[in-house]
Amino acid sequence: MAATNDSVDSKLTSAELTKRNDLRSRKPYVADKLAQIAVMEERGEISPIIRLEKSYLCNFQCTHCSAEFYMDRHLEKTGVTDERRKMNMDDVRTLSRQADELGLARFVITGGEPLVMRDFDEVVAAIDPEKHYVITDTNGWFMDEARAKHIKSIGVEKAQISIDSFIEAEHDAFRNKPGAYKRAMRGIYACLDAGLNLIIQTVLIKGRAHTKEFLDFCEFATKHGIGLYVSYAKPTGSCTQHPEFVIDKEEADFLRELEKKYNVFTHMTPSYGSFKGCITVKGIITVTSSMEVTPCPYIDFSLGNLRETSLKEVLARGMRNPWLGPYRPDCLIGEDPQFIKMHTEKTADAKLLPLPWGQGFSDEDKLIP
Amino acid sequence: MPDAIIDLAIFDEHGRCVPSSDLKAEVHRRTRRRFVCIQPEIDYSAIHSRIAGALNDDGGLSRDDFERQARSVLDKVSRDPATSGLAKGIHLPFFLPRMPDALSRDIGSDLDKIYLPAVEKSFLDAHPQSSYTRHHKGSLTGQLSVTGGSRHDRLLQAVSRTTVVGYFFLALQEYSVPASVEQVRRLPDTFLLAGGADTCAAFAGSPSLLLNPDAYPPLLWLAALSAEKLQTAYHLEAYGRNLTFNRRVHFDQAAEYWAAGLTVLAE
């Protein structure tokens, strides 16, 4: 495997290579799998990150939350009872094994807010940090020094802290949580001190890329050597009522210009020698608490339920779907008006999300009806 | 000779080649035109100047001759009802200076040393704030050959004899690379599948081809060139306001983001 790793390594930046070598010294099996991703893609295989939504419990109520409609508080508000069987630890272990057999290498524990999960440590163990690169999303509220050191000690490699404005009052208002900004900033330094890899996640609503606030944020992240991961606002979840949040091509291009100067990137930015464009299925999938698999965090159409369909077949369904499989440079749910319209219409009256396979996506899908 | 009888109106109102009904390789029969280019301005003098500068050509072809020959190509396709749609699509005039040993030269090496630097120079001259990134770092020497049936060899034959003038038409949107080759065999003899030299010269003449502030432009395959590995090809691609060159496996698939060009040479 070494020769192949060398050729992949030649495509990495020095910072990427340093991180990869550090991981290789501690977790060679995981590092080798990561190094194989570009090789797999060359063979037509994929190695998406698996986002694991075991619980939607959250201490925040954010304006743009993509998971709001999955949450118990939303179901209670709408009087819907969700009788779907929920993910348990055996499911996580089975998924980990299936993913490993397919060469998949990365899990993100997300939610909800992962750090409110009582069984967080157990989930990490069930994923198996010796076999997979484990990442956690967090709003940072509970990420103090002790927690950061603890999650590092149980095998988590990376934290992804969400901050939606570099201006404290704006972030707190967007998150509907006074004190959210201070806690998130504390979390950043706690993660760095604990030796966790770290990125800051931020949602880009239309017009924000051109603001001083955003440029200051880029400057801050770059100065601290932290990647600023920018997610375009998508018209799903709580954001469904805010189509004006969706950015246009000019702003997407402007953001690509900022990549030259700042440590800022999106899910379409080439990384680790991989050029995937929109990463639906190819670079990411989400497993919901009812074991449905969606092709990205913001698309509420399932590609199948893992209790009925193998992960391998679910991924194959995604790759043969004309919306998801082919390489494309734009964000499907964030930039393609036709898909956004179809998604909005199909999910409008849904009581439970995601829509099962056959109701949202199917093998009959066509770009032009 | 073409493999099949040619129907009228081979090209639609956007200049896209209507896929022949008997194509075996993957192609999208219809397009929603999600990925589109903006037609660059045809200023023959400026285009001549850019190509000459980018290819270090010291003036074998006058600007007037370039314009006259290029116009003759466009007039001819416009007059024929079967091909007139082409002129409504993206079309770029170009020339390639004579290269007597064109048929024996290494195509990959020429891309490395002549044509890709020409693309880079012309693009950055026109867009100094933008960048050109060659993601594929390896040498192309020995890596490329003319795809059988693409008719691209005719371009090289012509270049070996004389300076050639032609038009590049972005007509094969949403074709797989093999379908592009199949389709060319069903077109009149004058149509060649675009490869490296012609695509790059056309791009050097019109370096804003893949810039579109309002919509995403397609990825542009050098479809007439076979790579060192099956189901793999090289391409130019925009990244925002910037240009990239890269290599990609395509698995013989069609995608709405993918396009290739046709070339017609002046007689």
Side-chain angles (χ1 to χ4, degrees):
Chain A
M1 206 178 269
T4 308
N5 287 349
D6 287 348
S7 63
V8 173
D9 285 354
S10 69
K11 297 176 181 173
L12 306 185
T13 65
S14 60
E16 288 170 341
L17 195 54
T18 301
K19 286 181 184 175
R20 184 65 60 86
N21 285 338
D22 169 56
L23 185 71
R24 196 168 279 152
S25 70
R26 295 182 290 108
K27 296 180 180 176
Y29 182 78
V30 176
D32 277 344
K33 279 207 297 185
L34 292 173
Q36 286 296 308
I37 291 173
V39 180
M40 289 171 70
E41 288 172 357
E42 181 89 3
R43 290 197 300 255
E45 298 166 11
I46 55 171
S47 180
I49 296 170
I50 299 175
R51 295 176 71 257
L52 199 67
E53 294 180 347
K54 185 170 181 298
S55 162
Y56 297 106
L57 197 60
C58 190
N59 56 324
F60 281 21
Q61 197 153 3
C62 304
T63 307
H64 58 343
C65 181
S66 62
E68 182 68 27
F69 294 169
Y70 293 76
M71 293 181 172
D72 286 346
R73 65 189 182 208
H74 174 77
L75 300 179
E76 283 164 18
K77 199 162 65 184
T78 53
V80 174
T81 305
D82 184 1
E83 294 178 338
R84 296 174 296 185
R85 202 172 125 208
K86 296 299 185 294
M87 185 189 299
N88 59 36
M89 288 302 164
D90 281 341
D91 291 325
V92 178
R93 279 186 279 271
T94 301
L95 176 58
S96 169
R97 181 180 48 75
Q98 282 192 39
D100 189 46
E101 286 169 359
L102 294 173
L104 277 58
R106 295 161 293 177
F107 273 78
V108 178
I109 304 170
T110 186
E113 165 54 35
L115 297 191
V116 301
M117 292 164 59
R118 290 176 193 275
D119 58 0
F120 180 88
D121 291 14
E122 208 182 332
V123 172
V124 173
I127 292 170
D128 191 349
E130 295 303 316
K131 284 193 174 164
H132 295 285
Y133 189 87
V134 182
I135 305 159
T136 186
D137 280 340
T138 179
N139 57 37
W141 187 266
F142 296 106
M143 188 67 91
D144 59 13
E145 197 176 325
R147 194 70 186 271
K149 283 182 177 159
H150 174 72
I151 68 170
K152 173 76 177 173
S153 75
I154 62 172
V156 174
E157 291 291 333
K158 184 177 185 180
Q160 304 182 153
I161 296 184
S162 302
I163 298 180
D164 287 320
S165 172
F166 200 48
I167 297 170
E168 181 173 351
E170 280 185 7
H171 175 75
D172 288 1
F174 208 61
R175 294 271 167 177
N176 294 306
K177 188 81 169 176
Y181 180 87
K182 280 198 172 69
R183 292 275 197 132
M185 293 302 282
R186 179 193 64 175
I188 287 172
Y189 294 109
C191 288
L192 292 174
D193 287 348
L196 284 164
N197 284 321
L198 175 69
I199 61 171
I200 302 172
Q201 304 185 117
T202 195
V203 173
L204 190 75
I205 59 173
K206 190 172 184 180
R208 185 178 172 214
H210 295 288
T211 64
K212 180 176 183 304
E213 173 274 317
F214 187 72
L215 297 179
D216 287 347
F217 204 179
C218 292
E219 194 87 52
F220 168 83
T222 305
K223 189 176 152 192
H224 286 77
I226 305 166
L228 181 62
Y229 169 67
V230 178
S231 175
Y232 303 164
K234 322 291 194 305
T236 62
S238 297
C239 229
T240 307
Q241 302 308 315
H242 297 282
E244 74 279 10
F245 283 178
V246 176
I247 69 164
D248 57 19
K249 169 78 163 36
E250 183 281 328
E251 194 156 5
D253 285 351
F254 180 71
L255 192 59
R256 290 181 174 101
E257 290 304 296
L258 295 181
E259 291 175 13
K260 295 177 184 171
K261 186 175 178 186
Y262 300 111
N263 196 3
V264 58
F265 62 102
T266 71
H267 56 296
M268 269 90 67
T269 307
S271 66
Y272 289 92
S274 179
F275 301 84
K276 284 191 274 291
C278 184
I279 58 174
T280 51
V281 189
K282 302 174 278 290
I284 203 162
I285 57 168
T286 294
V287 181
T288 71
S289 68
S290 55
M291 299 300 284
E292 298 285 349
V293 180
T294 64
C296 105
Y298 309 98
I299 295 177
D300 299 314
F301 297 170
S302 176
L303 293 167
N305 190 297
L306 291 177
R307 290 207 177 87
E308 299 158 1
T309 311
S310 70
L311 178 61
K312 185 177 181 180
E313 171 56 17
V314 164
L315 298 181
R317 284 176 180 173
M319 288 305 289
R320 62 181 179 249
N321 185 280
W323 295 103
L324 306 170
Y327 172 53
R328 54 183 297 157
D330 57 337
C331 174
L332 178 62
I333 186 66
E335 293 186 276
D336 189 323
Q338 186 182 326
F339 184 81
I340 291 170
K341 182 170 180 287
M342 179 182 76
H343 185 270
T344 304
E345 288 171 355
K346 283 193 175 186
T347 55
D349 299 321
K351 290 190 166 54
L352 292 170
L353 293 174
L355 296 180
W357 170 249
Q359 293 182 30
F361 286 126
S362 79
D363 273 336
E364 310 307 314
D365 284 346
K366 293 183 173 67
L367 297 174
I368 303 173
Chain B
M1 289 290 290
D3 291 352
I5 294 171
I6 300 154
D7 297 327
L8 277 179
I10 308 169
F11 301 94
D12 70 15
E13 70 275 20
H14 301 291
R16 182 183 187 235
C17 186
V18 178
S20 297
S21 56
D22 61 341
L23 287 187
K24 292 183 177 64
E26 283 194 31
V27 63
H28 289 177
R29 295 283 159 192
R30 294 188 295 156
T31 167
R32 61 188 184 121
R33 291 178 46 76
R34 168 78 183 147
F35 301 102
V36 291
C37 293
I38 298 171
Q39 171 62 42
E41 180 191 4
I42 305 295
D43 176 340
Y44 287 100
S45 178
I47 290 169
H48 178 280
S49 175
R50 282 193 287 263
I51 296 174
L55 291 175
N56 292 316
D57 180 57
D58 56 6
L61 176 72
S62 73
R63 293 180 185 198
D64 287 346
D65 279 348
F66 169 58
E67 178 169 353
R68 181 179 51 75
Q69 291 185 55
R71 279 189 188 280
S72 74
V73 173
L74 201 57
D75 289 347
K76 191 173 178 186
V77 299
S78 300
R79 277 200 307 272
D80 184 339
T83 60
S84 60
L86 263 179
K88 297 171 189 160
I90 304 298
H91 52 285
L92 316 171
F94 71 92
F95 72 89
L96 284 166
R98 182 179 180 227
M99 199 176 266
D101 56 350
L103 290 167
S104 59
R105 294 172 69 93
D106 186 281
I107 293 171
S109 177
D110 281 353
L111 263 181
D112 272 340
K113 294 173 183 164
I114 301 170
Y115 297 115
L116 288 174
V119 165
E120 178 178 6
K121 178 184 184 331
S122 182
F123 180 74
L124 294 180
D125 282 351
H127 305 287
Q129 303 301 317
S130 298
S131 65
Y132 167 84
T133 305
R134 179 174 167 154
H135 288 302
H136 178 75
K137 304 294 185 197
S139 166
L140 297 176
T141 301
Q143 304 295 299
L144 297 170
S145 59
V146 174
T147 302
S150 69
R151 301 176 178 167
H152 186 62
D153 50 335
R154 294 188 203 169
L155 176 95
L156 300 181
Q157 285 165 7
V159 170
S160 72
R161 293 192 301 267
T162 183
T163 292
V164 301
V165 175
Y167 249 97
F168 171 95
F169 298 97
L170 190 64
L172 299 171
Q173 297 101 327
E174 305 191 31
Y175 281 67
S176 64
V177 171
S180 299
V181 180
E182 254 193 291
Q183 184 64 58
V184 164
R185 291 206 303 262
R186 285 154 177 76
L187 294 175
D189 268 351
T190 47
F191 288 89
L192 320 178
L193 185 58
D198 42 357
T199 302
C200 290
F203 194 97
S206 302
S208 300
L209 174 66
L210 295 183
L211 294 186
N212 186 341
D214 302 317
Y216 286 84
L219 174 152
L220 183 54
W221 290 110
L222 310 182
L225 301 181
S226 291
E228 74 290 352
K229 191 177 160 194
L230 284 174
Q231 302 185 322
T232 302
Y234 292 82
H235 58 80
L236 295 168
E237 182 181 11
Y239 186 70
R241 303 168 191 168
N242 310 295
L243 181 66
T244 68
F245 172 76
N246 207 352
R247 169 188 179 279
R248 169 173 288 279
V249 282
H250 55 69
F251 302 113
D252 296 346
Q253 294 165 344
E256 59 175 351
Y257 180 48
W258 292 353
L262 291 172
T263 289
V264 179
L265 301 181
E267 291 169 357

